[in-house]
Amino acid sequence: IARKHGCGSGMLVDSVEDIVNTTLDEIKEALFTLNSAMISMATGQIKYRDGYAIVLDVERIFSRASKTS
């Protein structure tokens, strides 16, 4: 669940695997191999276990959703 500019929203997921606290310094540029739709909604990526996890940008997602409504 997130809130931006007075607009609240959430995402329905099947399960939550983990919750990770991270710093801005740990967020690196997203892989160029991601498709353009995913890159447009990503802040970057973080190291997670033996791989990486994509960090989504809530403001970009809300902005995109408001343009399609």
Side-chain angles (χ1 to χ4, degrees):
I1 297 175
R3 180 173 298 279
K4 186 70 177 180
H5 302 296
C7 176
S9 185
M11 290 183 224
L12 180 61
V13 297
D14 292 330
S15 65
V16 175
E17 184 175 318
D18 202 353
I19 297 173
V20 179
N21 289 316
T22 189
T23 65
L24 291 176
D25 291 338
E26 295 172 304
I27 301 173
K28 305 301 179 197
E29 186 174 346
L31 291 174
F32 67 91
T33 56
L34 291 174
N35 68 47
S36 60
M38 180 61 84
I39 288 177
S40 71
M41 293 184 285
T43 295
Q45 66 183 18
I46 58 169
K47 281 193 155 201
Y48 178 74
R49 296 186 181 174
D50 293 331
Y52 294 90
I54 301 301
V55 178
L56 297 175
D57 185 315
V58 174
E59 188 169 358
R60 288 182 195 167
I61 293 169
F62 281 3
S63 175
R64 188 172 181 173
S66 69
K67 290 176 184 173
T68 60
S69 338

